Amino acid sequence: MRPFAYHRPETVAAAVAQAGGADVMYLAGGTNLVDLMRLGVLTPATLVDVTRVTSATIEQTPGGGLLVGAGVRNSDLTAHPLVRSRYPLLAEALLAGASGQLRNMATVGGNLLQRTRCSYFQDVTKPCNKRDPGSGCPARTGDHRNLAIIEHSEHCVATHPSDMAVALVALGALVHVEGAAGARQVPMPGLHRLPGDDPSRDTVLVPGELITAVELPALPLAARSLYRKARDRASFSFAAVSVAAALQVEQGVVRDCRIALGSVAHVPWRAGRAEDALRGAPATEQEFARAADIELEQARPLPLNGYKVPLARNLIVRALADLAAVR
Amino acid sequence: MTAPVTAGRRYAGAALDRVEGLDKVTGRAAYAADHRPADLVHAVAVPATIARGEVVQVDVDAMLKRPGVVAAIWHGNAPRLATSDEELAVLQSRRVAYRGQYVAVVVAETPEDAREAARTLRIEYVAEEHDVILRADHPRAYRPENVNAGHPSDTGQGDPDAALAAAPVVVDEEYGTPAEHNNPMEPHATIADWHGDGLIVHEPSQNVSGLRATLASLFGMPPGHVHVVSPHVGGGFGSKAKTLPHTILAALTAKQVGRPVKLALTRRQLFVATGYRTPTVQRVRLGAEPDGRLIAITHDAVMQSSTLSEFTEQTAVPSRVMYAAPHRRTTHRVVRLDVPTPSWMRAPGECPGMFALESAMDELAIACGVDPVELRVRNEPAAGPESGLPFSSRNLVACLREGARRFGWAGRDPRPGVRRRGRTLIGTGVAASTFPALRAPSSATVRAEPGGRYTVRIAAADIGTGARTVLTQIAADALGTAPAAVTVELGDSALPPAPVAGGSMGTASWGTAVVRACEELAARLEAAGGTVPDGGLEVTADTGREVRAQERYSRHAFGAQFAEVGVDADTGETRVLRLLGVFAAGRVLNPKTARSQFIGGMTMGLSMALLEESIMDGRFGDFLNCDLAQYHIAAHADVRDVQAYWLEEEDPHLNPMGSKGIGEIGIVGTAAAIANAVHHATGVRIRELPIRLDKLVR
Ligand SMILES: Cc1cc2nc3c(=O)[nH]c(=O)nc-3n(C[C@H](O)[C@H](O)[C@H](O)COP(=O)(O)OP(=O)(O)OC[C@H]3O[C@@H](n4cnc5c(N)ncnc54)[C@H](O)[C@@H]3O)c2cc1C
Ligand code: SF4
């Protein structure tokens, strides 16, 4: 591991000021960053520990939503009674991720910014455009069985691995950010980027910007929601494909819905086309399947990951059918 | 002659707690890496980043300028070793035989400095084209002289080709198993410490006597100058049984720098040079009468090895033992690729081979419309099908019957894909298990003290199996005393030489020596009037002659495994709802530790069936998924209901304990039982492991 300096500021302003230079990274739970430093994938010269400056509290907003501090641990967020009752899809997504030990360490901010699990990215002896821009993408022609089927590029076919982020794009969460240029709010989807010709950048954040909180909007329909994660190992495994879904049905007709997919793209994927196709349609399995097909028309699977298309389709249909069946 | 069963059996068969259990759960048990001699330096092995070629230059000077760095060693400045075995010739040549092979080592005062130095070490290579992908039709596949454990490569009887051409029912399929890595919980680590011309090695080892001999010959010393210390081993599954490159590297480095050296492998490095199970490509052909009685069996297996040495998994060997058929053939072919050398991983041969054979038997049962349990019963041989030798005992049929009863097999609807619980497809499957009951020569010493205490000394290994505990029970019975009066010392090469903890033969081999030493001691005590002299009394036994003179029998343990699976109709996710095994393995010496071995093996088999696969990248020449987040081993949530039972089996032709090995049989057949259950659930036959959801989702 490259030797590094370690700072632990007490205020957001101090943290942002210390993160000014190049080669500086924020450290939260460390469950992803420290792993990648040990592998030599990330070699920051300075770590700014933000666990004292980012809020670890969950507050109700005047508008009926929740403001979740970036320092809230994944295990605390999933256990929060209001998260469980108002946003079951988020509580379930968090619970489906990693292991109990990791969730106790992992923070909301760090979870959003965790890096891809593409094996070439994690091995510094191999080329990878995301880690070493311009070196190439061996996954495209190599092992991409668990990588993207939607909106990948010739430069990168990686997926974003977070479960929590899938729920957050379904909810349309707002990410509160603070940087040298001041504070701003970034809506989800919109935080994460597609790879395009610069896969080295996972998000729209500029270096030194600190996530301070994530705001969950008031969304009554999310009270009837779920998260379903398909994977070979029954726990402690990233998704093959996952779905976060919320459904509001009135007199057999879909009033509103939210659908997002995990592990299909470089970003947590909001299935906007499927949602549009469903609003106003009868709440039947046939319609759910039609909507899923409309969404997945844009899939461009690679030789080894074609299975993700039927898997995503089946997951969407099953999630919606299960939600429709809830009385 | 039948070995007499000596003394009473008060303690053999009792569920004694592990004698070192408390030390382990309280953290008092020191593993190799816990050892910290004074003046210790830390070494990090540097892996090659090409799969084939030569190391031209290593920038040692730049390294030595770094803070804390003590030495950087490569072929250019390494001490010479006395060996012609390329596997052991660490840093002895410029050649790179596989990606990840150690081409240098960096030594520093702290592990952090050593790791950072290793990361930044500049190495210049000349790369050559490499070839790392196993194919059944590989042009360089050849017939090895022998396969692992000394079995002949090919065997045959009758005219299987003609018999298959004429057989009323034929199954002819290809099966595949991927490369798999042992992954014991404790990563490999070595602490090497030279004192004058003697070497002390702390290392988790399944074979301290073997390691001592190899190190001594490499460094040109008498074996007595090497001392291997290995009281506790955190799992091995075969990966700690041979002398491995990192051990040699640590010893060589300690010699060069003149200080004790610690070399602890990372989990990633465990995926390179600690051995692994070769991928296999297997063709099985079964020819049968309409009622399922076999006319012909052929089993042709292709495996890989490295360019350094030939290791051929004995994949088709179980097909020489399992079923009767007049016409038969087994063959093994091996391809030497630019890959690390595969090695022993729990039940080499039987484990992948029985996946193929027992899957094919299930396919035959369906083709004949015969119940899969009944099919196996119908093909039960009267004697070793190839050897013609009588079985010392064989209770496969009893295991199948008892397993079927416990599992609730009777009345099973054979139709695939017709049972549902909600959105889950349900199926059941069965497969047989087998493993040879072997024994190797061993020595052991037992010493009596005047106060009534006894000490057994033997260079055996307890790799987490409970060997120390079982040997304590065996000795207590042979001495007619209580286990509390017996201390067993093992895991140290200074003790009387003993064979490897491998091949499921540890207890049989070591136990025989312990019994013989105890018998002799008891006889001498009796001759001396029953009192122990003031200086104590000590006896050493060596079972070389007894083992070599044992009668010719076909000795094997057998078992039957039953699985119930649920396959999610939407996602293709397979979950094993129930796994039930019944084994016939001679006399079970400690039901507690035995049960752990059986359910541990079955769990590892479940993991193999559904998850485990080391993925080779043909372009780079190495395995890609080299950590436990990517190489999946079954988690608790995957292991729901695993039950192991055994039959009382009296077999007088084994050893004084009447026991067969139980370390490996639990993994044999599990994957086939699960694959057969998946077929029963879904109608989809998975012939290539693991049974991932991408193979089932539609
Ligand atoms: C074995 C294993 C299995 C896992 N399985 C899953 C899984 O199934 N599903 C899943 O979703 N996740 C999984 N994870 C990932 C885990 O969720 C993440 O590692 C964790 O959420 C990261 O949070 P952290 O606080 O530890 O972040 P850190 O590791 O501290 O940081 C991660 C990144 O975020 C940046 N960062 C952290 N906080 C802030 C902030 N406030 N503002 C700006 N930047 C910030 C850091 O600079 C760094 O780049 C797994 C991880 C492991 C090791
Ligand atoms: S998919 Fe992306 S992360 Fe993976 S190798 Fe290609 S560029 Fe790197």
Side-chain angles (χ1 to χ4, degrees), chain A residues 165-189:
Chain A
V166 180
L168 293 183
V169 298
L171 293 174
L174 214 53
V175 181
H176 294 225
V177 175
E178 202 138 332
R184 64 175 178 134
Q185 296 179 358
V186 182
M188 291 183 75

Side-chain angles (χ1 to χ4, degrees), chain B residues 413-432:
Chain B
D413 178 351
R415 290 173 303 151
V418 297
R419 284 151 303 274
R420 268 183 184 253
R421 229 172 270 156
R423 302 287 304 167
T424 305
L425 303 166
I426 306 289
T428 53
V430 62

Side-chain angles (χ1 to χ4, degrees), chain B residues 231 266 482 487 690:
Chain B
T266 61
T487 303

Side-chain angles (χ1 to χ4, degrees), chain A:
Chain A
M1 207 191 280
R2 177 181 172 191
F4 57 89
Y6 172 80
H7 300 301
R8 193 160 61 178
E10 302 286 341
T11 64
V12 167
V16 171
Q18 280 167 348
D23 245 10
V24 185
M25 291 192 77
Y26 292 125
L27 173 72
T31 60
N32 190 222
L33 178 52
V34 175
D35 274 8
L36 292 174
M37 287 172 67
R38 291 174 77 100
L39 293 172
V41 172
L42 296 174
T43 52
T46 303
L47 288 185
V48 177
D49 185 332
V50 297
T51 48
R52 288 202 179 164
V53 311
T54 50
S55 155
T57 60
I58 301 168
E59 293 159 30
Q60 303 206 47
T61 61
L66 290 180
L67 190 66
V68 180
V72 171
R73 306 286 169 171
N74 288 186
S75 44
D76 291 332
L77 187 57
T78 188
H80 197 277
L82 291 179
V83 175
R84 299 177 76 102
S85 60
R86 293 187 193 169
Y87 311 102
L89 81 180
L90 176 59
E92 290 173 15
L94 283 158
L95 210 53
S99 65
Q101 294 92 328
L102 284 160
R103 293 193 295 270
N104 285 342
M105 287 301 290
T107 63
V108 166
N111 190 319
L112 280 175
L113 300 188
Q114 62 175 293
R115 310 301 305 273
T116 183
R117 305 306 290 202
C118 171
S119 18
Y120 303 96
F121 173 75
Q122 296 179 73
D123 181 351
V124 293
T125 68
K126 303 203 169 91
C128 165
N129 284 330
K130 186 180 278 302
R131 191 186 65 243
D132 183 8
S135 61
C137 172
R140 229 198 130 73
T141 46
D143 182 35
H144 49 247
R145 199 178 65 226
N146 203 24
L147 300 184
I149 54 169
I150 295 177
E151 290 280 359
H152 45 70
S153 76
E154 61 178 293
H155 302 287
C156 180
V157 296
T159 49
H160 193 267
S162 167
D163 291 297
M164 180 192 77
V166 180
L168 293 183
V169 298
L171 293 174
L174 214 53
V175 181
H176 294 225
V177 175
E178 202 138 332
R184 64 175 178 134
Q185 296 179 358
V186 182
M188 291 183 75
L191 174 68
H192 298 93
R193 296 176 66 253
L194 288 170
D197 59 6
D198 184 10
S200 70
R201 290 177 54 219
D202 288 357
T203 69
V204 299
L205 299 186
V206 299
E209 273 189 313
L210 178 74
I211 297 178
T212 54
V214 172
E215 186 178 339
L216 309 180
L219 192 69
L221 100 126
R224 187 188 277 194
S225 67
L226 57 71
Y227 187 77
R228 177 76 170 89
K229 177 176 179 177
R231 47 181 162 175
D232 284 306
R233 182 158 70 180
S235 82
F236 203 10
S237 160
F238 291 93
V241 174
S242 65
V243 62
L247 184 70
Q248 185 186 7
V249 179
E250 269 169 22
Q251 278 144 14
V253 172
V254 176
R255 237 334 262 291
D256 198 2
C257 63
R258 294 291 171 91
I259 306 168
L261 295 170
S263 220
V264 297
H266 197 256
V267 301
W269 187 257
R270 177 76 173 263
R273 296 183 191 180
E275 290 179 10
D276 290 344
L278 274 181
R279 291 198 187 90
T284 62
E285 269 200 47
Q286 263 161 328
E287 286 300 307
F288 299 152
R290 185 182 63 87
D293 287 339
I294 288 172
E295 186 66 42
L296 292 164
E297 255 169 33
Q298 61 195 312
R300 299 288 173 270
L302 299 159
L304 300 178
N305 67 8
Y307 74 95
K308 287 196 176 194
V309 178
L311 180 55
R313 180 184 191 273
N314 295 353
L315 279 172
I316 293 174
V317 174
R318 185 55 27 210
L320 295 172
D322 286 352
L323 289 171
V326 177
R327 291 284 153 229

Side-chain angles (χ1 to χ4, degrees), chain B residues 189-209:
Chain B
T190 304
I191 288 153
D193 194 356
W194 289 83
H195 291 268
D197 57 358
L199 170 65
I200 303 176
V201 170
H202 291 260
E203 148 128 3
S205 173
Q206 298 178 235
N207 187 6
V208 290
S209 301

Side-chain angles (χ1 to χ4, degrees), chain B residues 134 146 218 288 412 429 468 472 531 548 550 645 648:
Chain B
L134 178 68
N146 281 303
L218 276 172
R412 172 182 183 264
R468 194 184 262 111
T472 303
T531 41
R548 276 187 296 275
Q550 74 184 2
Y645 301 94
E648 284 301 320

